[in-house]
Structure formats: structure tokens, C-alpha cells
Amino acid sequence: MTESFETTASHRRVRVWFGAHPIADHTADADQAAQYEEAMRRRFASLRVTSEPVLVGSTTAPERAL
């Protein structure tokens, strides 16, 4: 059996953009992310708001070298 190293999680990353610069970055489960996205679209009507799935590795993160 093969193991997938990246799987799509039930979390989403919502960002508010001012040109090419993100001014807000929030990650939450799908339901909360949808509410956050809706609120940011209302608050920043003239800015671009994106919502992307978060990829989660199935293995633990490597330890940092000191």
C-alpha cells in the first residue's frame, strides 16, 4: 500500500490582498473559513479575497537544525 505525503485537509486559508501583498491571512476549518471570507469580503469590498485548501503532510515536520 502506498502512502500519500500530501492530502487535502478540511481546513482553508483565507487571505485579503492589497495588490500583491496579503494584509490578512487566516487558516481555519472549512465552515469558519467561509464565515471569515464572507466577513472580509464585506469589510474590504474593493480588495481581492482568496480562499484555498490547506495541504497537510501525513508525516511529521522535520526537526530544525540548530
Side-chain angles (χ1 to χ4, degrees), residues 6-66:
E6 289 187 352
T7 57
T8 303
S10 61
H11 284 72
R12 298 195 61 88
R13 181 180 189 184
V14 179
R15 290 188 276 188
V16 180
W17 298 85
F18 184 75
H21 307 283
I23 60 169
D25 191 337
H26 181 70
T27 302
D29 66 63
D31 292 335
Q32 290 177 342
Q35 291 175 358
Y36 183 80
E37 179 184 3
E38 186 177 318
M40 292 300 100
R41 288 188 187 279
R42 283 192 309 265
R43 183 170 183 177
F44 300 105
S46 63
L47 300 181
R48 181 171 56 114
V49 177
T50 60
S51 179
E52 304 165 342
V54 175
L55 297 179
V56 176
S58 60
T59 60
T60 59
E63 293 185 36
R64 288 185 179 185
L66 295 175

